[in-house]
Amino acid sequence: MNLDALFTLNCGMYILCSGTEKEPSGLIINALVQVTAFPNQVIASVNKESLTHKAIDRSGVFTVSVLERETPLQLIGLYGFFSGKNKAKFSNVKYFIGKTGAPVITEHSVAYLEAKMVSKLDAGTHFLYLGEVLEAEFLNPELKPMLYTYYRDVKGGKVPRTAATYHASPGEEQGVFDRYRCKVCGYIYDSRYGDPDSGIEPGTPFDDLPFQWTCPICGAQRDQFEQV
Ligand code: FE
């Protein structure tokens, strides 16, 4: 069996939110699909260890923002690698309170939907929430949605960035590059591409990264990286 075959299934990058203005909760999910059109229903898979599934259970509603292709790693990291238990996830992001009373993230979002929970299935590590769509609208229709494969391979540093921000780096001809993997989240720093989301120019060797640089996704310190 080759589990990599499952990476050919299309998944997106979404911020799912629930709760209320007073007690907002949100996290990154990649498994979300529209399953019926009449009525309009989606299924969202939410990790049981998250606070957000408890917020869905309490409020009976959730919202989903579709992240755009060039969403900075820091935003993905904030909702993907930190728990609301020890990090304020809503203090520095743009959102509004939707008609369901739950927050809707607007920054770097192509579109959003709001749903009320219809039923819930226990899937082991995750709960699957079936929700009826009550609202859906574009936020930034000119942007392209990010696919999970793009996040994993390109933003995560596993294959070259094809993003518009990519420029050939000074070391390109000499072939002097280094690659370091974050032992916490798997992000790869590739000096060929730098870390544009953190203002690091292509061609910056790992050893020349500023002292205060941390993993753009999970915030790990540099000593948590190993050369690959
Ligand atoms: Fe990391």
Side-chain angles (χ1 to χ4, degrees), residues 81 181-187 214-220 224-225:
F81 276 89
R181 180 191 291 116
C182 173
K183 288 189 272 188
V184 179
C185 75
Y187 166 80
T214 57
C215 174
I217 296 179
C218 74
Q224 293 294 302
F225 279 72

Side-chain angles (χ1 to χ4, degrees), residues 141-158:
E142 72 284 4
L143 300 177
K144 286 194 168 69
M146 182 189 285
L147 294 180
Y148 180 65
T149 47
Y150 182 85
Y151 163 71
R152 196 177 65 93
D153 295 340
V154 180
K155 296 287 279 185
K158 288 188 177 138

